[in-house]
Amino acid sequence: MADLHTGGPDLPQERRLSTEIPGPRSRELHARKIAAVAQGVGTVLPIYAVAAGGGVVVDVDGNSLIDFGSGIAVTTIGNSAPTLVAAVNEQVAAFTHTCFMVTPYDGYVRVAETLNRITPGSHDKRTVLFNSGAEAVENAVKIARAHTRRPAVVAFDHAYHGRTNLTMAMTAKNLPYKSGFGPFAGEVYRAPVSYPFRDQGVEGPAAARRAIDLIEKQVGTENLAAVVIEPIQGEGGFVVPAPGFLTALASWCRANDVVFVADEVQTGFARTGDLFACDQEGVVPDLIVTAKGIAGGLPLAAVTGRAEIMDAPHVGGLGGTYGGNPIACAAALAVMELIETDGLVGRARDIGLTMTERLKAMRAVDERIGDVRGRGAMIAIELVEPGTRTPDAELTRRVAAGAHAKGLIVLTCGTFGNVLRFLPPLSIPDQLLTEGLDILDAVLKES
Ligand SMILES: *Cc1c(COP(=O)(O)O)cnc(C)c1O
């Protein structure tokens, strides 16, 4: 077993099933989990990990599974990349915590400088660091309210922004995220998004106009602090808005002194084949929220944006005990360097081409695949009853379970539970990417 504990790139890059999935040791651990952990924390696939790297996750039974999940778009550079491990080890040996608000350190400042440089737009920027995506979204709203002195926030249909009280209010889907957890924060309004597959014929600018009309009539521009949007929706179903939707919304916000906030928690850091998803259409958000892929699995999140907006809150108004923890900052610096030195933006595009081509070929002969969409290494298929747009969540569950049993980690998403999403780490070898797609093809045919 000892060799199994070596993660990173030395891990054999193969799918290997030594037992059924989950195996006996995982089942034993899962029984202990159920007895010890609150059931509110769900489990997609109860195999218990001992190592991960490249494109695989290895479990306690010695099974090696192909990873199309990246721990929900987090391990974009792969698990335990050597430069990240070295940076983290060096930092952990030097010091683990001082609290940046008590005695600061260089790593935090360097992360801020790097984010200010690489996020969309060449304007003067500032950054503040947090622990989770939800916490960063909350703080983007605080900053926008302090700047505009207005209360209202607009989020969209199918949006996901987190599980804290304010971000539950901003999240669209009731089960599992919100049900029974209210009352929710006030002054959050919902607008229709552009969802080309379910919105056929409505082009980007028209979809933006539809949202803006509603905002003007139901919220009132003079009350609106911020419009918060995922440039490609994550949990909501990898919904890619029609071209021109985001640009029209952003320019309306500019014209009305409304802060345009891009939630790039899932899409950021090369995932979509651009450094940030906003880059694809040249959208420049006033504030951009990042987390997930930022630090290779260490908890870190950020709000980056226009200096005059970011500096609106008074001194002491932003922060948190652990925000910008030095170990997470060391990891983030390693991630951001690796994205550049290893050409990971291009790698995400190549993965996207491979996946899209194969999935479109599957769609051509299978009417249950209603849509193939996404960008870069963030691709999904929406499953429907043949020849309709009626969601088939049951089929989606069967295909995910079938893939898991064959050693392929896939996730589902979507408001209607009928989207299979693929988020491989960019370190996945081509042969595992192809093998994963072969498995999907076979499982769909059997389902
Ligand atoms: C995951 C996610 C969040 C919440 O991030 P946490 O770190 O889980 O709090 C917010 N927004 C988007 C788009 C996400 O995908």
Side-chain angles (χ1 to χ4, degrees), residues 63-80:
N63 300 300
S64 175
L65 289 84
I66 300 173
D67 185 11
F68 273 15
S70 298
I72 318 187
V74 169
T75 53
T76 305
I77 62 154
N79 250 290
S80 304

Side-chain angles (χ1 to χ4, degrees), residues 169-230:
M170 295 166 69
T171 290
K173 192 174 178 177
N174 177 46
L175 269 173
Y177 306 122
K178 303 171 73 164
S179 193
F181 298 141
F184 303 112
E187 289 300 324
V188 175
Y189 300 86
R190 196 165 306 288
V193 76
S194 163
Y195 188 158
F197 178 64
R198 299 203 162 272
D199 210 16
Q200 310 243 329
V202 183
E203 301 201 335
R209 193 67 247 167
R210 178 176 67 185
I212 289 163
D213 280 345
L214 205 134
I215 293 167
E216 287 176 342
K217 296 294 176 290
Q218 297 188 9
V219 185
T221 309
E222 69 277 20
N223 302 310
L224 184 57
V227 167
V228 184
I229 188 161
E230 302 154 84

Side-chain angles (χ1 to χ4, degrees), residues 132-134 160-162 230 263 265-266 292:
S132 72
Y160 181 83
H161 297 292
E230 302 154 84
D263 179 347
V265 169
Q266 192 153 162
K292 290 202 167 96

